[in-house]
Amino acid sequence: MSSSDPNTPNDPYRKNPYDRPPGGQPSNPPGGHYGPFGGAEEHPLAPPPGPMGSPGGPPGGPPGGPPGAMPGKVNSSRMIFFIAGGLQALFSLLAIVTFAAAEDDLEETYGDLGVGTGIYYTLFVLFLLHAIAGIVLAVKFPQGGGGLRIWGIAWSAVLVLIGLLTLPLGLLWLALGIVCVALLSSAESAAWFNRPRA
């Protein structure tokens, strides 16, 4: 029997029937297998490709997170609304209670100046209403809407005004208001608030 006979067992020169096909292409390419016409087919369990070729990407979803996720700038301004509104509401309530407890002393102190205690009550009630409005706006932020963004910028502008009127104690309010105006005025925030909603 000749050593070149392909049927000879244990012949190191015998042709391997499972060797890679002609042309140097692997018999099982990554991600699929060759079909009947030589083209690579997707594996039956592989996820469908995404919109830009990424496997399993959500159609139309933003690259930075799941669809509908609030951008970082909007989320940061929302947190500031909650913090500033909560602190302002607490301070306003404490001030109103304090003025009510010391109303007689205030009348004696400021009566000669022609400034009644009613002006103080009015100011702190306005501060309280502004604080409540900020908290309500922050709660509605996930809903979006161009009008909500405009109201948020207006609320932040009033926060800047409060900070200016109460300097140097209002320096924190001034800084927070400026930051919120900048965040909500950005193109990223405008695109998210004006997005189509179901």
Side-chain angles (χ1 to χ4, degrees):
M1 182 179 293
S2 174
S3 60
S4 61
D5 188 356
N7 296 322
T8 303
N10 300 325
D11 187 357
Y13 299 101
R14 183 172 57 89
K15 184 178 179 181
N16 185 0
Y18 300 104
D19 198 2
R20 60 177 57 185
Q25 295 178 342
S27 60
N28 192 11
H33 57 278
Y34 284 100
F37 300 103
E41 295 180 348
E42 291 295 330
H43 194 277
L45 299 180
M52 299 301 291
S54 59
M70 190 179 301
K73 292 182 178 180
V74 179
N75 193 37
S76 297
S77 60
R78 186 185 186 216
M79 292 299 103
I80 293 176
F81 273 49
F82 276 126
I83 294 172
L87 291 177
Q88 186 174 320
L90 180 62
F91 176 75
S92 300
L93 289 173
L94 289 176
I96 291 173
V97 172
T98 302
F99 274 107
E103 186 172 358
D104 294 337
D105 296 336
L106 292 174
E107 287 288 352
E108 294 178 3
T109 304
Y110 298 102
D112 296 338
L113 299 176
V115 180
T117 56
I119 186 67
Y120 298 106
Y121 285 116
T122 302
L123 286 176
F124 285 110
V125 167
L126 290 177
F127 289 165
L128 178 61
L129 293 177
H130 177 259
I132 295 174
I135 296 174
V136 172
L137 287 173
V139 170
K140 293 185 176 182
F141 264 31
Q143 301 175 8
L148 185 62
R149 173 174 164 267
I150 298 301
W151 279 109
I153 294 176
W155 187 90
S156 304
V158 174
L159 193 64
V160 172
L161 181 60
I162 293 175
L164 289 173
L165 294 177
T166 57
L167 284 175
L169 297 177
L171 184 60
L172 177 61
W173 267 204
L174 176 63
L176 292 178
I178 293 175
V179 170
C180 284
V181 170
L183 291 176
L184 293 177
S185 300
S186 66
E188 180 182 0
S189 298
W192 189 82
F193 275 102
N194 295 326
R195 74 193 190 283
R197 299 185 304 279

